[in-house]
Amino acid sequence: LALFDKQSADFKPYYVTPIVIEGELTAVSEVEGVRCPDVVYPKYQGWGFTEVELDPISMTNAQQAIELSDDPMFRSMLWTSLLNSDEADLIVLLDSFASEKNDRIINQVYTHYVDKLNLLERQGDESFKEISLRLENLLWQQLSMNAEGDSSQILRFEKYVELARSPSAHANLVKLLDDKEVIPGFTVNQDQRWEVIQHLAVLNQKLAENYLQAEKQIDTSDSGRLAAIAVEASMPDLAIKEKWLAMILDNENPLPLSSQRWAMENLFPANQADLQEQFMSEFLKALPMIRATRDDYYQRTYATELFAGLCSDVAIEKMRSALDKDKIGTTLSRFLSENIQMAEQCLEQKITTD
């Protein structure tokens, strides 16, 4: 247990004591008589498996602690507690994040923001647009100012591509593909070009089809072939989804597992929940066939990827109705159950927010 005083220039703890948790409540007599802290952190310098929910006073001061502390591990743990809180203001927190230099924390926080925005979009919460725009602007500013070409710049570029939703961000991505925009000290490599093209495809940018055909001619490697599959599968086009439905369920002339897996992982991005629900009945109906004809590894991918991110009563009811272990087996049942649980959590959060 560590106690912090925000008067400290580098926000180091002024009191640290080991504690043993026993039962629902644990009295910490060691801190009796010690001056009142601005932040209390019960898992200081230890990850373990304990989730920490900050008390109201510590929550209020945690953002300042992040800005002042020179301890990356402590900052990371504070970010975890803040970002997992339902009370966190994701826009206000960006002010503390803008100056972060640690690659691990940059990746941690931006990954959380990407996941949170995808969740909000699936829930139909329009607030994701304002948060996304603020993140885009911050990332583009940081990319433009950093001429080092270092690992943090690579991380920020990858997250910018994932987050890009606004017309101005789309325009920046297109300019990068056409070599009409240059990020100082940074060169977009082949894998990153594929990531940009796929994101444009997800957003239903018609020009993504042109880039797809051109890039397939340039990159004929195995990784290029898989990237092209991801681009096509992620397009919000009914005919394309029907094509991949047929290929995934084809037992006569099946595609290689790597191709099918890549398609399943990218078939239903966050902005295509309606298409996912439209096709889920066919994928659910095929579960007994998948059990009979595919190995456990394939079954895991099928049940995990095709039903991930769903967030409606209708989707939950359909998945529950298919959850018959005698018919679909242990592997499909297990991973379908996990998606049901996540869908229930998503819907519960949506109802609470509304």
Side-chain angles (χ1 to χ4, degrees):
L1 179 74
L3 309 183
F4 298 83
D5 184 338
K6 62 184 180 182
Q7 300 304 316
S8 170
D10 51 6
F11 219 88
K12 293 188 182 301
Y14 63 84
Y15 189 90
V16 179
T17 183
I19 58 173
V20 177
I21 304 297
E22 295 181 356
E24 184 177 352
L25 297 173
T26 300
V28 186
S29 59
E30 291 85 352
V31 299
E32 292 180 7
V34 178
R35 74 176 187 272
C36 289
D38 295 309
V39 172
V40 177
Y41 203 83
K43 199 173 62 170
Y44 182 62
Q45 291 187 333
W47 283 102
F49 297 98
T50 305
E51 291 188 13
V52 173
E53 182 177 334
L54 297 177
D55 64 272
I57 294 176
S58 295
M59 276 288 291
T60 300
N61 295 317
Q63 191 169 352
Q64 184 176 358
I66 287 172
E67 295 172 359
L68 293 175
S69 176
D70 60 1
D71 181 345
M73 185 175 182
F74 180 51
R75 293 202 308 277
S76 177
M77 296 170 89
L78 283 176
W79 273 115
T80 298
S81 297
L82 284 173
L83 292 171
N84 288 340
S85 170
D86 293 334
E87 306 300 320
D89 187 324
L90 294 178
I91 292 179
V92 171
L93 287 177
L94 287 176
D95 294 335
S96 297
F97 183 55
S99 59
E100 181 60 59
K101 305 296 185 186
N102 184 275
D103 285 357
R104 184 187 181 283
I105 298 175
I106 292 171
N107 186 56
Q108 171 193 352
V109 176
Y110 274 129
T111 297
H112 179 92
Y113 270 95
V114 170
D115 292 344
K116 182 66 174 179
L117 288 172
N118 287 340
L119 176 63
L120 291 172
E121 188 166 11
R122 284 185 176 274
Q123 291 174 333
D125 188 332
E126 292 295 307
S127 67
F128 81 87
K129 294 180 181 179
E130 181 182 1
I131 302 170
S132 179
L133 185 59
R134 288 287 296 272
L135 278 166
E136 286 176 13
N137 292 337
L138 172 61
L139 278 164
W140 189 251
Q141 180 183 33
Q142 291 176 329
L143 284 169
S144 301
M145 292 175 59
N146 185 353
E148 300 298 323
D150 58 13
S151 56
S152 65
Q153 192 178 36
I154 294 171
L155 276 172
R156 288 188 168 99
F157 175 79
E158 291 173 349
K159 296 307 176 185
Y160 181 80
V161 174
E162 290 185 69
L163 287 161
R165 285 174 167 86
S166 70
S168 61
H170 302 168
N172 288 337
L173 294 180
V174 170
K175 289 177 182 177
L176 286 169
L177 288 176
D178 293 341
D179 296 324
K180 294 180 180 177
E181 180 72 61
V182 176
I183 297 173
F186 186 80
T187 301
V188 180
N189 64 30
Q190 183 62 67
D191 289 342
Q192 291 161 344
R193 285 184 62 84
W194 277 119
E195 290 170 6
V196 173
I197 293 169
Q198 183 181 354
H199 194 69
L200 292 174
V202 168
L203 297 171
N204 201 22
Q205 297 292 300
K206 302 302 182 183
L207 47 77
E209 177 63 32
N210 296 331
Y211 285 117
L212 170 60
Q213 298 308 323
E215 213 69 21
K216 285 167 68 173
Q217 301 301 315
I218 297 170
D219 184 4
T220 59
S221 65
D222 286 343
S223 61
R225 177 182 59 82
L226 292 175
I229 288 173
V231 171
E232 182 185 89
S234 62
M235 291 179 174
D237 181 275
L238 185 63
I240 288 175
K241 304 302 184 189
E242 290 174 341
K243 169 188 171 181
W244 279 104
L245 167 66
M247 287 196 289
I248 290 169
L249 302 183
D250 185 1
N251 285 323
E252 299 298 325
N253 299 290
L255 289 173
L257 174 58
S258 59
S259 300
Q260 293 195 52
R261 185 182 181 192
W262 214 246
M264 287 189 281
E265 288 179 356
N266 294 281
L267 198 57
F268 299 116
N271 67 334
Q272 297 175 27
D274 291 344
L275 281 169
Q276 185 177 17
E277 290 203 27
Q278 186 173 339
F279 281 87
M280 69 178 297
S281 294
E282 292 296 319
F283 284 121
L284 288 169
K285 186 170 67 174
L287 288 172
M289 180 274 286
I290 296 297
R291 178 199 182 187
T293 60
R294 315 296 167 86
D295 62 22
D296 285 347
Y297 182 69
Y298 186 100
Q299 291 178 37
R300 174 177 180 171
T301 302
Y302 187 96
T304 300
E305 300 298 341
L306 295 178
F307 307 104
L310 290 161
C311 192
S312 73
D313 285 320
V314 173
I316 292 170
E317 185 57 36
K318 285 183 178 180
M319 286 190 287
R320 282 178 180 160
S321 67
L323 198 61
D324 185 339
K325 189 179 292 186
D326 291 335
K327 291 183 178 179
I328 68 175
T330 302
T331 301
L332 289 170
S333 177
R334 173 190 168 186
F335 292 102
L336 185 62
S337 295
E338 290 183 0
N339 272 325
I340 291 173
Q341 292 174 6
M342 288 187 283
E344 289 171 341
Q345 293 171 4
C346 177
L347 189 59
E348 182 180 350
Q349 292 175 8
K350 178 181 177 181
I351 293 171
T352 303
T353 303
D354 293 344

